[in-house]
Every structure is written in C-alpha cells, then in structure tokens.
Amino acid sequence: MNSGNDGESKTKPTPESPGVLKIIQSILAGAFGVQSDKRRQEDFASSSPWPYIIAGILFTAGFVVLLILIVKMVLAGS
C-alpha cells in the first residue's frame, strides 16, 4: 500500500541564516524607519534573531559614540 509519501518531505525547509550585508541593510533601514514589509518578514523568518540583536547593539553603540565625538568637536571649536 502506498502511504502517500513518495520520498518527498512535507516539512518546511529551515530558513538559511542571513548574510552580513543583508543584516546591515536591515539594521540601517530599521534605524531610519524605512524598512519594507517584505524585508521585515524575511528578517523575522530567519533562523535566529541573534545576528540582528548583536548588529543592532553594535550600531547603536557606534551611533552614540559618533554623536559624542561630534558634540566634543563642536564644543572644542567654539
């Protein structure tokens, strides 16, 4: 009797982990508030949130340091 399974798996394929460039694009788009719905869905479908979390923390820390440096340069020039 045929069980209906002809060797094909009916399970969903596991999403592959995103590349570095895709993560950077998503972080920058999210920071500026211009993330497309398609990209957001792709991001949430990825296998792990950790690359996005780490990249977001690094981006935020870098942004804060950049702002501090700009303010120090402006205050030193006046």
Side-chain angles (χ1 to χ4, degrees):
M1 232 180 179
N2 189 359
S3 65
N5 191 357
D6 296 333
E8 293 181 23
S9 175
K10 300 291 182 184
T11 60
K12 287 177 145 179
T14 56
E16 58 187 58
S17 53
V20 174
L21 184 59
K22 185 175 178 181
I23 292 173
I24 291 172
Q25 288 174 338
S26 292
I27 296 297
L28 291 175
F32 289 106
V34 294
Q35 183 84 324
S36 69
D37 189 49
K38 178 184 174 190
R39 178 69 70 139
R40 184 188 54 79
Q41 289 176 357
E42 290 174 1
D43 293 345
F44 279 97
S46 69
S47 59
S48 174
W50 288 110
Y52 295 99
I53 293 170
I54 293 169
I57 290 170
L58 291 175
F59 173 79
T60 303
F63 184 71
V64 169
V65 168
L66 180 66
L67 288 177
I68 290 170
L69 290 174
I70 291 172
V71 168
K72 284 187 176 189
M73 285 176 24
V74 169
L75 292 177
S78 56

